[in-house]
Amino acid sequence: MDEERFSLEEKQSHKEKVQKKGFCGMILSPFYWLEMLSKELHWRFVLGVVIVYGINQGLGMGLSRLSIQYYMKDDQKLQPSEAQFYSGIIQIPWMVKPLWGLLTDTVPILGYRRRPYFIFAGILGATSMIILSLDKNLHLVLALVLLMTGSTAVAVADVTIDACVTENSISHPSIAGDMQSLCGVSSSIGQLIGFAISGLLVHLIGSKGVFGVLSIPVGLVIVVGIMIRDPFIRNFSYKQVNQKCLDAGRALWTALKCSVVWRPCLYMYLSLALSLHIHEGMFYWYTDAKTGPSFSQEMVGSISAVGAIGSLLGVLLYQNAFRNYPFRHVLFWAQLLYGLSGMLDLILVLRINLRFGVPDYVVVVIDAAVSHMISRLKWMPLLVLSSKLCPSGIEGTFFALLMSIDHVGMLSASWAGGLLLHILNVTRTTFDNLWLAILIRSLFRVLPLGILFLIPNSDPNAAILPSEMLKTKKGDSPLDNDTEMTSLVNRIDHNVPMH
């Protein structure tokens, strides 16, 4: 109670400080807010969140996306369909995120539950990026292994900081929302900066040079492992691990057998899997000098930055206008608009915009902003729904499982899109059938409308699970899935095709 009262006093002091200084107070408000969080949670924790979410995950993702695309195209000389296929493989470590979560929660190393995992993730990620940047003639298989290793490092660091945020949310419930804001703001700012400078960096130092730069953000995770507070665990019995994993598995299976749970899960997987990814084909066309607009690295990077801004607008729009509408109603219009937004690519590839004197870059920028905004509008209700599907006692683990299901859907969409590009003979230099791939993708995007009956048409503010699955035991907290939601939003942003 004393800690809770101190938290409320700190928040009130922060508000009074902003009001007292007027306009200057508004400008300095973020710094006062960070000061309040640092006093309440310690500056080491706040800095750790900024490093993992903002620098490693946000900035790192912004830089890595474009560098990987150019690396696959220019260094490995892959066809668009191959690059599409391999881009899905790189994300496989995120599909087993529940495993990383169980390890950090149940298997302490040398008496610590968090520090060793941060240090391990930092060393693993930095080493893989350095090798990628230095080896000039790296075989494709080894390159993919190193990229997957880097992805594993980010996933392990992500799930470990999630656990730290959840623990603090339980001990400081009055500022749990502030912690979620810190995670989301850090990641969003990091992504914007990363996307904005990625094109310039690829132009100046090449894709391999960017991999070398990426060793710095992931290497900073080692610093988090050294400085973060982590109580020492004495006399831990590793015999408990198997039993805890078995208990978690039984609880997950029991929840999945409930129809109000598996039906939305099936919809989430199918809606993602049917949203075919052909962005590698579009990327090759963007940079083609003969038939495409021949965009520079800087222009491609700026397009991604605009897409990130569109995603933020989508969140604001949902929060302020649509969050109280039934899930099924919002999903119907969002899914329909998502399919229609894909037709902007058709206008671009068929060069219809040039007949009206509209430059290619203008169309692409509008497409990036609109498609990312609608994609976020489509997924926000599903994220809220997912948080309501988590049974009491296994909230964090079950939400991580839902996240894994979504990543399997993204992998399916990536591989299906690669197969489509291969069948239509879209290659490094041949784009005659790219318009057909866009048309098929747009049609597939609206197919989930036929299975919307799997989504409950209920009040988004009402409980969905049966009452016996919502009985909270002492010590459990519904806050456990908040950090997972923040992470899932970020990963979806990263996997949304540029077009």
Side-chain angles (χ1 to χ4, degrees):
M1 289 296 294
D2 290 339
E3 287 186 359
E4 184 64 16
R5 185 169 62 253
F6 181 72
S7 300
L8 292 171
E9 289 174 355
E10 282 293 326
K11 291 189 76 171
Q12 184 61 33
S13 174
H14 167 245
K15 291 180 181 178
E16 291 175 354
K17 192 180 293 186
V18 172
Q19 292 172 354
K20 186 177 180 180
K21 296 196 175 184
F23 181 72
C24 291
M26 290 179 63
I27 296 176
L28 297 173
S29 176
F31 299 99
Y32 294 147
W33 178 61
L34 289 174
E35 181 186 16
M36 180 270 292
L37 289 176
S38 297
K39 284 183 179 179
E40 183 66 21
L41 303 168
H42 202 276
W43 65 267
R44 294 182 180 183
F45 170 76
V46 175
L47 182 59
V49 170
V50 172
I51 289 175
V52 176
Y53 269 111
I55 300 176
N56 181 44
Q57 199 176 101
L59 180 66
M61 285 182 182
L63 291 175
S64 65
R65 175 173 167 175
L66 196 64
S67 60
I68 291 174
Q69 286 183 313
Y70 275 102
Y71 178 72
M72 294 294 187
K73 176 178 178 284
D74 297 334
D75 292 81
Q76 293 294 342
K77 307 296 183 183
L78 297 180
Q79 297 293 344
S81 57
E82 295 173 326
Q84 188 69 65
F85 179 82
Y86 294 132
S87 67
I89 291 180
I90 296 170
Q91 301 304 321
I92 286 178
W94 288 87
M95 297 178 195
V96 291
K97 187 173 179 181
L99 174 62
W100 313 133
L102 283 174
L103 286 175
T104 58
D105 286 339
T106 61
V107 186
I109 300 175
L110 300 177
Y112 294 100
R113 292 200 305 163
R114 312 301 181 201
R115 283 183 172 179
Y117 289 97
F118 281 125
I119 295 172
F120 168 73
I123 294 174
L124 192 69
T127 303
S128 62
M129 291 298 103
I130 290 172
I131 295 174
L132 267 172
S133 65
L134 295 179
D135 198 315
K136 293 182 179 180
N137 298 306
L138 203 60
H139 190 274
L140 175 61
V141 174
L142 184 55
L144 286 174
V145 170
L146 290 171
L147 287 170
M148 286 182 65
T149 302
S151 184
T152 301
V154 178
V156 172
D158 172 80
V159 78
T160 309
I161 199 67
D162 281 355
C164 296
V165 174
T166 297
E167 288 173 348
N168 279 295
S169 296
I170 294 171
S171 60
H172 301 81
S174 65
I175 56 172
D178 293 277
M179 279 184 266
Q180 295 309 312
S181 297
L182 177 65
C183 296
V185 169
S186 299
S187 181
S188 297
I189 293 175
Q191 283 190 35
L192 281 174
I193 295 173
F195 284 134
I197 66 174
S198 61
L200 179 63
L201 284 177
V202 171
H203 176 73
L204 293 176
I205 60 177
S207 57
K208 288 186 177 180
V210 177
F211 290 145
V213 173
L214 282 168
S215 65
I216 299 174
V218 71
L220 287 174
V221 176
I222 300 173
V223 178
V224 178
I226 294 172
M227 71 178 185
I228 201 161
R229 289 179 169 181
D230 190 14
F232 185 77
I233 301 174
R234 300 181 183 275
N235 303 321
F236 178 79
S237 175
Y238 285 91
K239 295 179 181 179
Q240 303 172 7
V241 175
N242 286 336
Q243 188 58 46
K244 286 185 177 181
C245 291
L246 287 174
D247 291 342
R250 291 193 193 101
L252 291 173
W253 177 243
T254 301
L256 284 172
K257 289 192 294 184
C258 183
S259 62
V260 296
V261 175
W262 70 258
R263 286 163 63 95
C265 289
L266 179 60
Y267 176 85
M268 284 187 279
Y269 167 76
L270 290 176
S271 62
L272 266 174
L274 291 172
S275 298
L276 306 183
H277 291 180
I278 60 168
H279 51 279
E280 294 300 332
M282 292 300 300
F283 170 72
Y284 278 60
W285 182 78
Y286 289 152
T287 55
D288 186 73
K290 293 183 179 179
T291 59
S294 189
F295 288 151
S296 64
Q297 290 98 330
E298 294 90 339
M299 295 178 76
V300 176
S302 67
I303 292 166
S304 298
V306 171
I309 295 173
S311 294
L312 292 176
L313 291 176
V315 173
L316 294 174
L317 192 58
Y318 179 79
Q319 280 294 109
N320 292 286
F322 300 114
R323 64 178 178 177
N324 293 320
Y325 283 84
F327 295 122
R328 200 181 293 179
H329 182 79
V330 177
L331 286 171
F332 174 82
W333 289 107
Q335 196 75 51
L336 182 62
L337 291 173
Y338 190 51
L340 293 175
S341 68
M343 301 304 287
L344 288 172
D345 283 334
L346 197 61
I347 294 174
L348 189 69
V349 171
L350 293 178
R351 320 305 278 158
I352 296 174
N353 58 297
L354 296 181
R355 299 175 191 173
F356 295 93
V358 181
D360 291 328
Y361 185 72
V362 173
V363 178
V364 174
V365 165
I366 294 173
D367 188 7
V370 171
S371 61
H372 279 73
M373 183 181 68
I374 296 175
S375 178
R376 178 58 68 87
L377 273 174
K378 181 170 73 81
W379 280 111
M380 286 305 294
L382 288 178
L383 293 175
V384 176
L385 175 61
S386 296
S387 68
K388 293 179 176 294
L389 297 178
C390 300
S392 176
I394 56 169
E395 296 93 346
T397 304
F398 196 82
F399 201 92
L401 175 64
L402 293 177
M403 182 177 181
S404 297
I405 293 173
D406 289 343
H407 279 293
V408 173
M410 293 181 206
L411 177 66
S412 302
S414 186
W415 284 0
L419 180 61
L420 178 63
L421 292 173
H422 178 72
I423 291 173
L424 296 178
N425 194 35
V426 177
T427 67
R428 295 172 59 88
T429 56
T430 305
F431 304 97
D432 295 340
N433 292 325
L434 183 58
W435 69 271
L436 184 57
I438 294 169
L439 184 61
I440 293 173
R441 179 204 62 181
S442 299
L443 291 174
F444 268 68
R445 281 183 175 182
V446 298
L447 289 181
L449 293 175
I451 55 172
L452 264 178
F453 63 89
L454 295 172
I455 297 294
N457 195 29
S458 57
D459 183 349
N461 299 312
I464 294 174
L465 292 178
S467 57
E468 61 269 16
M469 296 178 70
L470 292 172
K471 293 177 181 177
T472 305
K473 300 174 185 177
K474 187 176 180 180
D476 293 339
S477 172
L479 296 165
D480 287 2
N481 55 41
D482 289 347
T483 50
E484 296 286 351
M485 186 180 295
T486 301
S487 177
L488 181 55
V489 168
N490 296 333
R491 295 304 305 171
I492 286 175
D493 276 349
H494 182 57
N495 283 281
V496 169
M498 200 175 351
H499 296 295

